Amino acid sequence: MLEKPGGCGTVIKADSPRELRKKLRGVKRRTIVGVIGKEAVCREAVMRRRVDVILDWEDRELDYAMFKLAAEKDVAIELGLSKFLRTEGYKRMLLFEKLRQEIMVIKKFDVPFIVTSAAENQWELRTRKQVENFFKFFGAEIPKARHYAERLVRRYFDDRYIMDGFEIESFS
């Protein structure tokens, strides 16, 4: 996913809900949309139909209401590994505690979530097994994360997919 259109997904960075709405108007229909912003921007993004993922970064703040809204509106929450690689010391310990709490709330409200490396350069890339084992250690249900990621991609790029459990079958 890139900030510039042209790929399979678009990242929208916004400083205010008004800027988010403005940028969402310019996004093509057949792209996955991820949002980065402050708490107010994330709250607005969860309520928008065009937003598919709330992306992860060091200073992301989500409260119970946003998790519950994300579950109702079918907006996935990204859990990224790279923020742990970029931080150190006490700040990393705080991120570990925050991750543990987020995973508990995700389980409680059955929020769609995906686990990624969230790499910004090649040194932050990790294998799928490493990423999954890291989040499994904190209690994330990896089969659900795989299901949500697959469903997100199929929603936009599989012409036969309608919704979970419903597909268009061929007549041949």
Side-chain angles (χ1 to χ4, degrees):
M1 294 176 64
L2 303 169
E3 284 186 68
K4 297 174 183 159
C8 66
T10 303
V11 175
I12 296 179
K13 292 182 181 178
D15 294 325
S16 68
R18 175 183 243 178
E19 183 182 355
L20 173 70
R21 288 189 298 268
K22 182 180 175 186
K23 288 183 177 182
L24 280 174
R25 285 188 207 113
V27 175
K28 292 189 295 183
R29 289 282 172 208
R30 304 274 302 173
T31 59
I32 299 170
V33 177
V35 173
I36 294 177
K38 295 181 180 168
E39 188 175 358
V41 173
C42 289
R43 180 170 285 118
E44 180 71 23
V46 167
M47 291 188 265
R48 295 288 162 196
R49 185 174 50 173
R50 287 288 302 128
V51 176
D52 299 303
V53 182
I54 302 296
L55 298 174
D56 199 5
W57 72 98
E58 289 88 1
D59 299 326
R60 178 179 75 179
E61 291 292 328
L62 301 175
D63 57 3
Y64 269 47
M66 275 192 266
F67 280 107
K68 195 166 184 173
L69 270 172
E72 291 173 6
K73 302 286 186 178
D74 199 29
V75 175
I77 304 293
E78 178 193 33
L79 301 176
L81 178 65
S82 66
K83 69 181 180 182
F84 297 100
L85 301 174
R86 281 185 239 124
T87 58
E88 55 187 43
Y90 184 68
K91 187 170 181 178
R92 185 183 286 174
M93 292 300 119
L94 291 175
L95 287 175
F96 286 144
E97 179 62 25
K98 194 163 102 173
L99 174 66
R100 190 183 64 75
Q101 291 173 354
E102 285 179 351
I103 290 174
M104 285 174 34
V105 175
I106 283 171
K107 284 181 179 179
K108 180 177 180 178
F109 294 125
D110 196 28
V111 179
F113 72 102
I114 54 175
V115 295
T116 65
S117 66
E120 292 181 2
N121 56 49
Q122 70 253 23
W123 295 283
E124 293 177 357
L125 287 174
R126 297 293 184 263
T127 64
R128 178 172 153 175
K129 186 174 182 179
Q130 287 176 327
V131 172
E132 289 177 350
N133 284 338
F134 177 81
F135 289 107
K136 186 187 242 182
F137 177 77
F138 288 97
E141 297 172 0
I142 299 306
K144 281 188 175 183
R146 284 184 184 176
H147 168 74
Y148 292 130
E150 178 186 342
R151 187 177 72 176
L152 179 63
V153 172
R154 287 187 69 201
R155 185 184 308 164
Y156 288 100
F157 301 108
D158 187 0
D159 294 330
R160 297 178 2 175
Y161 180 78
I162 297 172
M163 62 188 292
D164 288 344
F166 294 100
E167 289 186 16
I168 298 171
E169 290 189 15
S170 61
F171 290 108
S172 56

